[in-house]
Each structure stands twice: as structure tokens, then as C-alpha cells.
């Protein structure tokens, strides 16, 4: 359900929120392969509002607000495709436009997490406009990593033919930006839903299909293939028996997801439209013969489609899917969710039921390093948008909105909280609360107007009583209309300095040098780590900085924020970006990075400009 109301937009226009969406189509709804022209519609807002007058309509709404499924609440998402890379799960999704009465989808989105509950919004690094040959329908795709690059296979309507084709985009980063790799469809036979699997011998396969199931063998470049598209026989032994439709004798419908585990090949797919359930088959090889194994997720929820993705991560197995669980949700306004599960001794997948609790947290979140505001376990009322400082920021904040960040490890205690904020209005306050949106207030930060929605400054307030591990709630209060934006935040531990679990800085505080740099490891995992470097100006202000160091054996940097990386051999060089080059005398700024290998304490050099 959606609350009809008007909000004043950033440009001063009033924008209507979405009215209630019509109920899901019943069995016999049109399949996605028979798309009709989508009607033009304005972008609208959805709100997960905590209003007492609506409790009778939403039943256990307070419990839903505290849960972690669906895992994205700022927009509608669909067709999840997870990818594990360097200690994080990257989740590639479609985006159902608000108020849709068809599969109206114009872009793809990326989210990531290292704990399965707090998800960072990386925005939209790929959309229909990326492909000059496509005209519409940013439907279900999948991204894979190979040869130091990320390849994202996505279906769209081909402008020249009007039929569905599959394109491939490429990027050097899991979060983009992505570009069209070949300037044309990779394959185009009117069918959809690509999935890519790379076998242990290095051979890559592209599978796709609705109503049939196809494959090609991809070449090593991942942007071409050998041979011709080939159908996989859909037998009842391999894919179960469908009744009532002579044209579709098996259960296979769409959305294949192929992977290998312990020598067994899995093909998970949406079965028997409509409404769909998730089924799976297994085989001794990537091309079969397939054996039908049964149901993974029965028909349930308020979406008549479903779409699965499965990965193993940090010792657990996770099943991603979509439903219509958010207010206003349904068959054309879906939301991605996740459940943890365990395989049977024979490799079988158990029957999984949708929940609003989602997967358990893996580890805890460190509040003493920079955390992006768009890293959220649950958000009420807020949206995200591109930030002038890079990445995304949280915006469209109204009085009473809040963000939940789950499992924050304060340890022996936090002394202060600092947030990077901007406001073209009068600002407001950030209430730092523990365990619920009405929980104990441990700090209150005032946000003043900064003269622009992307004019950033820091606000800091003392914190008292934040010890141990708690869910953190940032509750926003103020006047009417949008209050302010938040880009990132961090806490300072009691006693100042770094958390007790972090190594000491590698260099002393500045004396009269132009700048110095200090390093600490903020997180580690098998095969990788996260590091943070603080650049501090000396007795005089600086207008730019460059930090260099030698990478230890086996180390390579895979992602960086707050700086621009250039590397040559084992030497890493990071320069400031536009928003953090100017540092006042004795002031400091920080950049962070993710790296492969084992952490070590580098010897840093800092030069100013």
C-alpha cells in the first residue's frame, strides 16, 4: 500500500506519491515474452510510513519495519543476480518503476554487502541508454567476473527488430560504470533471462530462455561465442511435468540460474507460470542430462513471477528471490529478498519459505571507520541519489524518517558521531538511537543549512552510552519538506584514536611537514582486507595530496573510495578527488580501499600540491 500525498521536489515542483497499485493478475497473466508498449509515467515516491491509522491495513507492520526483508526499501527491485567477489556479495538487480502496471524497467542497479544484512547502494551503472541498439525493457540479467573484468549480460528489446536480444556490458569494477562491450546484441532470438556459468576447465556457457532453454559456449573474451545457439531438450524427466498446457509439457518457464557445487551442476529456474514457483534440476555435466529435483520455493508472496540466484558466502549458502512485500508492491512492483539455507547430504536444496526476517548477519559492522549513509539494513521514508562527492547519498529526508544499520559493534564505547551532510533548506537533527527508532538516544547532531543539496560539511555531536553491539537507528527530525542529505558517517571511540582492535598508525602526527599519512587495517577476511589511510596537513593548509606505498607480495587493490588510484607494478599511488583535496592546517581527510591478499603495515609517503 502507498500513502497518497504530495511532496515538494528539489526543483520546487509538487510530486504526487504513487496511488495504490492494482492487485496482481491472476493465473493466465501475460508472459514477459509478449511485451506491449509501456506507457510513459512520471517517477513517483513510495513511503514505508509508520502511521497508527494504517496498522489495521498492514497487520504486523511494526514487525515488518524492524525486519531485513526485502533488502532494499528505497526503490522496487527485481530479478536478483548475486556475485561474490573479494569478500563481498555484489547484487545486480532490475528496477521496477513506481506505479507500474507492466514490466516497466529502464535501468539496472547494484548493491553490495559484507555481512548479508547491511547493503550499500551503488546506484545505476547500466541502463537502456548504454546500448544504442536497444529501445526498452531492462529485464533480468547476470554479471560475472573474469580476466580482471566484470561482464554483465542483460536482455533488451532490439530497436531494429522489435524482438528481445541479449547484450553484454563490461567494467573494470563490480560497481561500474559499465559500457557496451560489442555495440550490438550478443544473441537475439526473442528470448530472455541470461545466466552465465564458467566451469572449472575455463569454458564459459551462456544460458537463456522463455519458453525454450538455450545455450552457447562463450569464448575466452566473454563477448563472442563458438558455434550456434543450441536448445537444451526440455524433457519431463529433466524438468518436471506441467499439466493443462499442451504447448508447455514441462515446468520450465524462465529465469535459469546455473552453477556447480561439489561436482554437481545445478539449474534453478522459475517454473509454471502463473503464478510461478522456483524449481531445480541437476546434472553430471553443464549440458545435462538434467534430472528434475523438485521445488525450492513454492508459489507465495504477492508477485506472480519469481527469479532466483544462489551463492555461497563466508561459509553459508544464500537464496535470493523477489516478491511484492513492500507497500505498493505486486507483480510489477517487486522487491528482492534473501534467505540462508543448508544443502542436504546428497546435494539437495530444501524447500525455502519467504520470510520478513531475511538472512542472519555475518559478523558485525565497525562504526569507527567511514560508513556510507546508503549502507542500510532497513530504511523508512528515505531515498538515495548520486552524490557530487562520488557514489550515492541518502536524501529526500523528511521529519520522522529513519535508517537502521544492523549489528554495530561499539566495543568499549563511542565518544562522538560525525556525519557529512548538506542542505538547501533549514536542516534538522540526526537522533542517534539504539535498537529501535524510538530507542535510547545516545547523541543528537544538529544539521544547519549549507546552501545546497550537494554542498557538504561535517556535523559532530557527543555520544554517551553506546557500548557493546546494537542495531543503530539514525532518526531524522525537523520541519516540513525535505530536511537534508547525508553522504557518510563515522563514530570516534572513547579516548580518541583508533578502535582497540586496529593497529596503530604507521606515522606520527604532523609537525611542520606539508602532509603526512597514517594507515590502519579496518577489516579482514579470507583472501582480502579493507584498509584506511588518513592524510593530515601540517602547519599550513594544502590544496591537494598524493599518497604512495609499495604493495606487499600477493596484494592488489580492487576498489577505492575517497581517492583516485593509479598503480605501476607493486607501487600504489592515490591522489585526492575534487572534494577532499583542500585540507586546512592540521586538518585531515581519509580514503579507504579493498584489497586482495593479506594485510600488512605499509610505509607511506605523502606529498602535497
Amino acid at each position: 500500500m502507498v500513502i497518497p500525498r504530495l511532496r515538494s521536489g528539489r526543483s520546487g515542483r509538487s510530486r504526487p506519491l504513487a496511488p495504490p497499485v492494482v492487485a496482481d493478475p491472476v493465473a493466465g497473466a501475460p508472459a514477459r515474452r509478449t511485451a506491449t508498449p509501456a506507457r510513459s509515467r512520471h517517477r513517483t515516491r513510495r513511503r514505508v510510513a509508520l502511521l497508527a491509522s494504517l496498522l489495521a491495513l498492514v497487520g504486523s507492520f511494526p514487525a515488518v519495519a524492524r525486519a531485513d526483508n526485502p533488502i532494499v526499501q528505497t526503490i522496487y527491485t527485481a530479478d536478483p543476480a548475486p556475485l561474490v567477489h573479494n569478500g563481498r556479495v555484489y547484487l545486480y538487480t532490475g528496477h521496477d518503476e513506481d506505479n507500474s502496471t507492466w514490466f516497466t524497467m529502464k535501468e539496472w542497479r547494484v548493491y553490495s554487502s559484507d555481512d548479508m544484512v547491511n547493503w550499500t547502494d551503488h546506484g545505476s551503472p547500466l541502463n537502456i541508454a548504454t546500448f544504442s541498439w536497444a529501445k526498452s525493457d531492462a529485464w533480468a540479467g547476470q554479471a560475472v567476473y573474469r580476466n580482471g573484468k566484470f561482464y554483465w549480460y542483460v536482455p533488451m528489446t532490439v530497436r531494429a527488430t522489435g524482438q528481445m536480444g541479449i547484450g553484454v556490458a563490461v567494467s573494470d569494477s563490480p560497481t561500474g560504470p559499465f559500457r557496451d562491450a560489442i555495440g550490438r546484441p550478443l544473441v537475439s532470438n526473442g528470448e530472455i533471462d541470461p545466466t552465465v556459468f564458467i566451469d572449472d576447465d575455463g569454458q564459459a556457457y551462456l544460458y537463456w530462455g522463455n519458453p525454450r532453454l538455450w545455450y552457447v559456449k562463450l569464448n575466452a573474451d566473454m563477448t563472442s561465442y563458438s558455434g550456434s545457439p543450441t536448445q537444451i531438450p526440455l524433457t519431463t524427466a529433466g524438468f518436471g511435468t506441467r499439466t493443462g498446457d499442451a504447448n508447455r509439457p514441462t515446468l520450465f518457464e524462465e529465469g535459469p540460474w546455473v552453477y556447480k557445487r561439489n561436482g554437481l551442476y545445478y539449474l534453478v529456474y522459475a517454473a509454471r507460470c502463473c503464478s510461478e514457483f522456483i524449481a531445480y534440476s541437476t546434472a553430471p555435466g553443464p549440458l545435462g542430462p538434467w534430472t528434475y529435483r523438485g521445488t525450492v520455493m513454492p508459489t507465495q508472496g504477492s508477485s506472480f513471477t519469481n527469479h532466483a540466484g544462489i551463492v555461497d558466502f563466508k561459509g553459508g549458502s544464500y537464496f535470493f528471490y523477489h516478491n511484492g512485500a513492500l507497500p505498493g508492491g505486486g507483480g510489477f512492483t517487486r522487491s528482492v529478498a534473501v534467505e540462508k539455507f543448508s544443502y542436504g547430504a546428497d546435494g539437495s536444496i530444501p524447500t525455502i519459505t519467504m520470510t520478513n526476517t531475511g538472512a542472519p548477519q555475518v559478523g558485525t559492522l565497525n562504526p569507527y571507520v567511514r560508513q556510507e549513509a546508503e549502507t542500510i539494513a532497513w530504511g523508512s521514508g528515505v531515498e538515495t541519489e548520486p552524490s557530487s562527492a562520488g557514489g550515492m547519498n541518502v536524501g529526500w529526508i523528511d521529519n520522522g524518517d529513519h535508517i537502521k544499520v544492523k549489528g554495530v559493534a561499539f566495543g568499549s564505547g563511542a565518544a562522538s558521531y560525525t556525519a557529512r551532510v548538506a542542505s538547501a533548506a533549514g536542516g534538522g537533527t540526526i537522533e542517534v538511537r539504539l535498537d529501535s527508532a524510538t530507542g535510547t538516544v545516545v547523541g543528537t547532531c544538529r544539521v544547519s543549512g549549507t546552501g545546497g543539496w550537494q554542498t557538504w560539511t561535517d556535523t559532530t555531536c557527543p555520544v554517551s552510552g553506546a557500548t557493546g553491539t546494537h542495531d543503530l537507528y539514525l532518526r531524522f527530525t525537523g520541519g516540513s519538506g525535505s530536511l537534508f542529505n547525508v553522504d557518510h558517517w563515522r563514530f570516534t571511540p572513547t579516548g580518541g584514536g583508533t578502535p582497540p582492535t586496529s593497529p596503530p598508525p604507521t606515522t606520527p602526527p604532523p609537525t611542520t611537514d606539508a602532509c603526512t599519512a597514517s594507515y590502519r587495517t579496518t577489516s579482514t577476511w579470507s583472501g582480502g582486507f579493507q584498509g584506511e589511510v588518513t592524510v593530515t596537513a601540517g602547519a599550513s593548509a594544502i590544496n591537494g595530496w598524493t599518497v604512495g606505498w609499495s604493495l606487499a607480495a600477493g596484494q592488489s587493490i580492487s576498489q577505492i573510495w575517497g581517492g583516485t588510484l593509479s598503480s605501476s607494478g607493486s607501487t600504489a599511488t592515490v591522489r585526492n578527488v575534487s572534494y577532499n583535496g583542500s585540507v586546512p592546517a592540521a586538518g585531515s581527510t581519509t580514503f579507504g580501499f579493498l584489497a586482495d591478499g593479506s594485510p600488512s603495515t605499509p610505509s607511506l609517503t605523502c606529498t602535497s600540491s
Side-chain angles (χ1 to χ4, degrees), residues 155 223 245 304 353 478-479 553:
T223 60
D245 187 348
F304 59 90
T353 299

Side-chain angles (χ1 to χ4, degrees), residues 108 124-133 147-154 156 167-173 175-184 221-223:
W108 296 271
S124 173
L126 184 67
N127 58 51
I128 290 293
T130 304
F131 303 91
S132 61
W133 49 267
N147 302 327
K149 295 185 182 297
F150 298 84
Y151 298 89
W152 199 345
Y153 301 83
V154 288
M156 295 155 286
V168 55
V170 65
S171 175
D172 297 325
S173 165
T175 59
F178 284 80
R179 65 185 185 277
D180 186 353
I182 57 177
R184 55 176 173 79
D221 62 10
M222 301 298 285
T223 60

Side-chain angles (χ1 to χ4, degrees), residues 61-113:
F61 186 79
V64 173
R66 291 192 297 270
D68 300 312
N69 261 345
I71 60 179
V72 177
Q73 308 86 39
T74 53
I75 62 171
Y76 295 119
T77 54
D79 304 324
L83 168 67
V84 176
H85 181 73
N86 284 348
R88 293 185 73 84
V89 175
Y90 291 88
L91 183 62
Y92 300 83
T93 77
H95 173 201
D96 286 337
E97 294 292 327
D98 289 1
N99 239 10
S100 291
T101 56
W102 182 250
F103 301 103
T104 306
M105 308 173 77
K106 304 174 183 177
E107 64 180 10
W108 296 271
R109 309 278 297 200
V110 182
Y111 302 84
S112 73
S113 177

Side-chain angles (χ1 to χ4, degrees), residues 71 98 117-118 142 198 239 243 345 365 456 486 498 565 567 569 608:
I71 60 179
D98 289 1
V117 295
N118 297 302
Q142 182 186 358
I198 304 172
F239 296 92
T243 59
L365 183 138
W456 300 101
V486 185
T498 59
L565 172 70
S567 57
S608 63

